[in-house]
Amino acid sequence: MAFNIAVAGKGGTGKSTLSALIIRYITEEIGKPVSAVDADPNASLGSLLGLHVQSTVADLREDIVEKKVDFSGMSKDRYIEYAIEESIVEKDKFDLLTMGRPEGPKCYCYVNNLLRKYLDKVGTTYPFIVTDNEAGMEHLSRRTTNNVDFLMIVSEPTIVGALTMQRILKLADSLPITIRQKFCVLNRVPKNGIHENLQQKLDSLGIEISAIFPFDQEVYDTAACGAPIFEIFRENELYRKLGEFLQKHLPASMLQKTAPDLI
């Protein structure tokens, strides 16, 4: 089964950027393919990966609910499976499935169940799944993902961010899904480090920070001009520190490099 990495955190913390960097690190440094899922309604992961997304799962759900689809000659289940496959953007080392905007007031349970089955199927063919979640982990709470090996909760270095991190931790503990490991990280930290008041707040909340990622001008400039994250240098400090974090916390079996011709 695939090793499932989920990235969560409130908007504006850089979780989509970190998700894209994780995908780059796994595909380029570890040498293993990734099934990427953009579950953030802001849907910026594709742009960060240099992809153009034309259709989303939300579009499919809407068409089914509004009965805009002609199923003649094909079962409903088979059509949805086919449509999900068609919405995936494929690259040499990773594929991307984009969830799209949040669900409306209508019931989408049927399509969500088929999506869950599809993601379970993907889990048998890819060594890694990386999901960029929307703020608050709504994608996980809808249980389209039932099994998370590695949850990274991202916050900016502020007290408001620490309180949001605490709420996400509580939500994660309350969900009827399996989350094997949870890591809290601070992102976009200035050179002078985190403020002592923030450290005191983290201590009082019982939040252990597993990694501190610096504000990075190169990553900022790359994102500002709309270039893919693959254009930053391998020696980039943020990329290097993220790699160290993954090397420390991923299972040794997942870190074994795959020969390029097998990808």
Side-chain angles (χ1 to χ4, degrees):
M1 291 296 292
F3 189 86
N4 199 324
I5 298 174
V7 182
K10 76 180 185 68
T13 59
K15 58 185 177 57
S16 295
T17 299
L18 290 178
S19 297
L21 287 171
I22 289 172
I23 293 166
R24 174 178 172 175
Y25 189 86
I26 292 172
T27 56
E28 291 194 350
E29 314 306 332
I30 300 177
K32 294 185 178 180
V34 172
S35 174
V37 180
D38 188 350
D40 191 331
N42 191 34
S44 58
L45 185 59
S47 296
L48 288 164
L49 295 171
L51 303 177
H52 176 62
V53 176
Q54 293 184 316
S55 62
T56 71
V57 174
D59 297 330
L60 167 63
R61 281 193 295 238
E62 193 67 27
D63 288 345
I64 297 295
V65 171
E66 298 294 334
K67 299 182 179 179
K68 299 178 181 178
V69 178
D70 180 9
F71 296 111
S72 56
M74 184 182 300
S75 71
K76 188 176 181 181
D77 288 15
R78 179 64 191 119
Y79 172 83
I80 294 176
E81 182 180 353
Y82 171 79
I84 290 175
E85 291 175 351
E86 284 294 297
S87 68
I88 293 174
V89 183
E90 298 181 347
K91 294 290 285 185
D92 292 339
K93 298 180 181 180
F94 62 89
D95 296 337
L96 174 66
L97 177 66
T98 301
M99 301 294 290
R101 63 190 179 279
E103 297 174 1
K106 301 181 181 67
C107 178
Y108 296 82
C109 298
Y110 174 76
V111 180
N112 276 351
N113 286 338
L114 289 177
L115 175 61
R116 186 182 306 121
K117 290 179 182 178
Y118 179 79
L119 291 176
D120 288 344
K121 176 183 174 182
V122 166
T124 65
T125 57
Y126 287 81
F128 283 95
I129 297 175
V130 177
T131 303
D132 177 21
N133 285 281
E134 58 188 295
M137 295 172 58
E138 291 302 320
H139 172 60
L140 293 181
S141 67
R142 286 196 296 268
R143 299 181 68 184
T144 46
T145 301
N146 286 321
N147 197 340
V148 176
D149 295 291
F150 187 109
L151 173 63
M152 188 167 77
I153 303 171
V154 184
S155 172
E156 77 275 22
T158 66
I159 288 180
V160 171
L163 293 171
T164 302
M165 187 177 286
Q166 181 194 39
R167 287 194 289 270
I168 292 176
L169 282 168
K170 288 183 177 180
L171 174 60
D173 289 337
S174 70
L175 293 176
I177 63 176
T178 300
I179 302 177
R180 293 181 178 82
Q181 291 180 292
K182 294 188 286 288
F183 301 97
C184 295
V185 305
L186 295 178
N187 192 34
R188 297 176 175 168
V189 176
K191 289 184 178 181
N192 58 350
I194 64 175
H195 197 280
E196 60 180 352
N197 288 352
L198 172 58
Q199 186 59 63
Q200 291 172 3
K201 173 58 72 173
L202 291 168
D203 293 341
S204 69
L205 295 173
I207 297 176
E208 179 182 351
I209 299 301
S210 299
I212 293 177
F213 299 129
F215 171 81
D216 190 276
Q217 190 65 45
E218 183 189 8
V219 172
Y220 174 81
D221 292 340
T222 299
C225 68
I229 208 70
F230 291 93
E231 292 192 6
I232 69 168
F233 289 105
R234 266 196 164 100
E235 297 77 15
N236 176 273
E237 183 183 9
L238 173 58
Y239 186 57
R240 179 176 55 79
K241 286 186 177 294
L242 178 64
E244 292 171 354
F245 170 74
L246 294 173
Q247 289 285 338
K248 180 179 179 181
H249 295 291
L250 288 177
S253 60
M254 303 306 299
L255 292 170
Q256 295 176 356
K257 290 190 176 183
T258 301
D261 60 346
L262 296 180
I263 297 175

